[in-house]
Amino acid sequence: MTQIAAIEAAGLVKAFGRLRAVDGIDLRVRQGEIFGVLGPNGAGKTTMLRMLATLLPVDAGQARVLGVDVAREPHRVRQLLGITGQYASVDEDLTATENLWMFGRLQGLRSRDARASAKRLLEQFGLADAGGKRLKEFSGGMRRRLDLAVSLITRPPLIFLDEPTTGLDPRTRGQMWDTIRGLAADGCTILLTTQYLDEADQLAGRIAVIDHGRKVAEGTPDELKASVGNSTLQLRLAPGADAELAREIVRRAAGAEPVLSPERGGLNVPLQDAGRAADVLIGFREAGVPIASVSVDRPTLDEVFLALTGHGTGSETEDAELEVAAG
Amino acid sequence: MSTTTVAPPSAGIPPRWADPAAAVAATRPRVSVFETAGQTLVMAWRALKKMRRNPEQFFDVTIQPLLFTAMFAYIFGGAISGNVRGYLPLMIPGIVAQTVLTTCMSTGVQLREDMEKGVFDRFKSLPMARIAPLAGPMVADLVRYLIAAGLTFATGAAIGYRPGGGAFGVLGAMVLSVFTGWALAWIFTWFGTIASNARMVQGLSMMILFPLTFLSNAFVPVSTLPGWLQAFVRVNPVSHLVSATRDLANHAVISSEVGWTVLACLAVIAIFAPLSVWGYKRQL
């Protein structure tokens, strides 16, 4: 039996003036999976999510959420999904309990039920002691958890998470990941945007990579990483080393094109096999190229990007502006 | 007692749909009038909570009636009516109208400020009536109009105003001005939904309010004005509100002015409520 897709989008377009923030994206998310949308700032992730959540009108193409058309029946779609944004969308002047109660009431719960659901969610998210506190006293992590709790009041079958861990410290980030896994185990379908490859890797069953409003790749985390190698050799040449010679050695020893990293004298080398790092280093020693530091790491989003698009994640400032425009 | 690990019955918590198709089938195509009213009241509750926690929001409805009433009475009283006491029946209803109008201007400014916060994103993403986030704060603002009108009459009474219409007259005047304030607030709410920032709403509103309140019969007898200005003053809806308020407070008479004022208010609501919802939706 074929199930209807949780999300099905075809040729989705959103333009802000001359800028096509989302430029013809097709997407198919199956029920019950965690689907990651990976891309740098300004790639169009948030804009796409907002269109699917009926927060932005669709300029061209169409999208269905559990078979319901986003443009034609937005009110229905809003009943099927919960969305948690990059910036916590909860009321700063109210307490955590009041927030949960209010959003429960707005979605048709009776007052008593809204109170019960607020209590349950506060406990579930480890906020039971903070229920009476106003949000001004909340930390970033607590705010984010409350925001997610608000999205779950009506237990919608679909949850959109827009960069759920951006700006969180590593510990809170781990907690958020556990929560997201718990939701998926509960049967929720989750659409998640992130700028972090490891986050998509940790959580998502499938990932779409978005760049400049277009989908440049889609697959399981393993498939995507295979395209950039399993690890990265990060080298820093000592001052005065011959960079051209160094690149030549890398090409010969690793069979891969080195990537200049932002810091002075930095070279990143994608490797299919971490063992090849030794060959590169031996090559350097034999040629007498001095090295300041060496490390072997997992590929970064930058490298995935480079491999998929032929350019890096791009100039930060320009893209940040686009994200604001897409806001 | 069985010891199965079945989850406890969820008190008032909606079920997690085992089958999303069932969740789809349970969706409603649109918001009912009943739901809209409920959501508006919840939004009013939110606005009242915020008012209680930010008492500086009450400055305009407390300081202005106290200050303006006393100030205008002592400055203009002698010049216009010969003495302060004789001026009060003319001026107090004028001040009531002016205060209520300024109060409803802040409705738009506050809505604009509020809409810039992240929480409005949440309101937009919920399956709720689009008019509720606009109408809710306006319902809560009824409290502010009531304070403004009440304090003005009280200040007037303190400096010697004895309304000829008695308690019922004054009550009627207050009800009328509160209703007018609420109706006119839709204009400023509309500004709030279309302007790009709160300062713009403020500027736009001032530009409209000042001529409307001062080019009326609120503070001076119309006969003292040049002919061309009299023409404008006579059609100015604020003049009708002031006359109606005077008729009620000073004579306990429900005159045709009251009728005109209510009619004008209804027209304003009919035009600007849909415009506001349109402006709000356009921001999505």
Side-chain angles (χ1 to χ4, degrees):
Chain A
M1 181 193 137
T2 54
Q3 263 186 328
I4 39 167
I7 298 169
E8 179 143 44
L12 222 48
V13 171
K14 180 79 216 173
F16 297 105
R18 271 176 46 239
L19 168 75
R20 288 169 83 88
V22 172
D23 194 4
I25 288 184
D26 300 330
L27 205 65
R28 195 182 157 84
V29 178
R30 292 190 286 259
Q31 284 182 27
E33 72 175 336
I34 303 186
F35 191 95
V37 175
L38 181 67
N41 267 336
K45 306 185 297 289
T46 301
T47 308
M48 185 186 78
L49 208 70
R50 291 177 70 89
M51 275 196 283
L52 293 173
T54 76
L55 287 170
L56 274 176
V58 174
D59 284 353
Q62 58 165 333
R64 287 168 189 280
V65 169
L66 288 167
V68 183
D69 193 287
V70 168
R72 238 172 290 154
E73 296 189 279
H75 186 67
R76 275 221 155 93
V77 170
R78 287 178 198 130
Q79 292 166 66
L80 295 171
L81 57 87
I83 178 165
T84 289
Q86 261 173 79
Y87 310 101
S89 35
V90 278
D91 200 312
E92 294 286 317
D93 289 312
L94 300 180
T95 67
T97 307
E98 285 167 348
N99 263 292
L100 287 164
W101 180 85
M102 174 177 75
F103 287 115
R105 291 283 288 142
L106 286 176
Q107 293 178 92
L109 295 193
R110 278 174 304 180
S111 182
R112 196 163 43 102
D113 297 344
R115 222 171 297 135
S117 118
K119 191 161 174 285
R120 174 182 60 96
L121 284 165
L122 287 173
E123 276 161 19
Q124 188 187 333
F125 282 85
L127 294 168
D129 297 335
K133 274 193 195 161
R134 278 162 76 175
L135 261 57
K136 286 174 180 149
E137 300 167 48
F138 267 43
S139 70
M142 287 162 83
R143 234 173 263 237
R144 215 63 83 84
R145 269 182 285 158
L146 179 67
D147 202 36
L148 184 54
V150 168
S151 303
L152 300 178
I153 293 172
T154 55
R155 311 191 75 181
L158 206 68
I159 300 284
F160 288 3
L161 299 171
D162 191 14
E163 304 199 7
T165 65
T166 299
L168 294 188
D169 62 69
R171 197 176 64 93
T172 336
R173 193 163 177 231
Q175 286 173 349
M176 189 56 104
W177 284 0
D178 288 341
T179 309
I180 294 169
R181 287 194 193 100
L183 285 175
D186 234 22
C188 249
T189 305
I190 293 168
L191 179 66
L192 161 111
T193 73
T194 180
Q195 331 183 19
Y196 308 118
L197 180 66
D198 64 330
E199 182 160 288
D201 192 8
Q202 283 280 333
L203 296 173
R206 286 193 306 136
I207 300 173
V209 182
I210 307 276
D211 181 41
H212 287 119
R214 288 173 180 278
K215 185 166 80 180
V216 292
E218 185 176 328
T220 64
D222 285 341
E223 286 166 358
L224 286 182
K225 278 185 296 182
S227 65
V228 268
N230 292 317
S231 50
T232 303
L233 172 66
Q234 295 171 341
L235 286 169
R236 222 173 137 181
L237 303 180
D242 182 348
E244 207 30 67
L245 178 62
R247 296 174 71 149
E248 185 50 43
I249 293 167
V250 168
R251 273 186 217 114
R252 223 176 325 123
E257 186 62 29
V259 183
L260 288 174
S261 69
E263 65 268 29
R264 179 185 285 270
L267 281 181
N268 287 353
V269 185
L271 296 173
Q272 289 301 332
D273 167 14
R276 298 290 285 273
D279 299 340
V280 176
L281 294 178
I282 291 167
F284 272 62
R285 192 172 58 192
E286 284 173 350
V289 178
I291 299 170
S293 70
V294 176
S295 66
V296 177
D297 219 328
R298 303 172 55 176
T300 64
L301 176 60
D302 240 344
E303 285 142 359
V304 174
F305 255 80
L306 188 83
L308 291 171
T309 65
H311 64 83
T313 47
S315 88
E316 286 295 329
T317 47
E318 185 196 68
D319 287 341
E321 278 164 19
L322 298 189
E323 195 82 322
V324 169
Chain B
M1 292 294 283
S2 72
T3 51
T4 46
T5 51
V6 173
S10 49
I13 297 153
R16 160 84 66 218
W17 301 97
D19 175 16
V24 176
T27 56
R28 299 166 306 280
R30 61 185 64 83
V31 208
S32 70
V33 177
F34 183 70
E35 284 173 316
T36 306
Q39 289 158 359
T40 302
L41 287 181
V42 174
M43 294 303 285
W45 169 87
R46 167 178 179 265
L48 283 175
K49 277 265 172 212
K50 289 170 96 82
M51 271 185 211
R52 285 228 319 261
R53 285 175 190 170
N54 302 298
E56 70 273 9
Q57 283 191 21
F58 287 108
F59 278 4
D60 59 341
V61 292
T62 47
I63 308 282
Q64 193 176 325
L66 294 176
L67 209 66
F68 276 33
T69 311
M71 207 168 67
F72 277 55
Y74 291 111
I75 292 176
F76 295 132
I80 294 168
S81 302
N83 61 60
V84 172
R85 235 193 136 100
Y87 180 49
L88 289 174
L90 180 81
M91 180 206 77
I92 294 292
I95 293 265
V96 169
Q98 192 209 23
T99 322
V100 163
L101 279 173
T102 355
T103 308
C104 70
M105 177 182 86
S106 72
T107 305
V109 177
Q110 271 166 20
L111 177 76
R112 179 70 259 172
E113 278 172 358
D114 210 17
M115 276 170 68
E116 272 152 30
K117 292 181 190 146
V119 67
F120 258 76
D121 242 18
R122 170 82 61 190
F123 294 141
K124 287 173 189 165
S125 77
L126 292 183
M128 63 187 278
R130 268 30 200 162
I131 200 170
L134 309 177
M138 290 180 57
V139 172
D141 273 346
L142 289 176
V143 174
R144 289 156 47 83
Y145 303 137
L146 213 59
I147 293 176
L151 263 183
T152 308
F153 276 116
T155 315
I159 54 178
Y161 175 47
R162 297 291 172 264
F168 281 108
V170 169
L171 204 66
M174 277 172 63
V175 169
L176 182 72
S177 48
V178 168
F179 173 69
T180 310
W182 187 80
L184 296 186
W186 280 108
I187 302 178
F188 302 104
T189 295
W190 178 57
F191 287 163
T193 61
I194 56 164
S196 53
N197 58 53
R199 208 176 305 157
M200 187 175 158
V201 181
Q202 177 102 28
L204 211 59
S205 307
M206 286 292 221
M207 225 165 65
I208 293 190
L209 263 185
F210 262 101
L212 273 184
T213 49
F214 283 98
L215 302 184
S216 74
N217 61 355
F219 304 108
V220 293
V222 184
S223 53
T224 62
L225 303 173
W228 58 270
L229 193 53
Q230 283 190 26
F232 176 80
V233 168
R234 279 183 216 286
V235 295
N236 183 350
V238 175
S239 299
H240 291 289
L241 169 65
V242 171
S243 303
T245 314
R246 273 181 200 145
D247 291 343
L248 282 165
N250 297 334
H251 312 291
V253 168
I254 301 177
S255 60
S256 63
E257 295 288 353
V258 177
W260 283 119
T261 307
V262 171
L263 203 66
C265 288
L266 292 177
V268 165
I269 298 173
I271 295 169
F272 288 95
L275 272 180
S276 303
V277 174
W278 169 80
Y280 176 59
K281 274 188 178 166
R282 210 180 49 115
Q283 292 221 335
L284 292 188

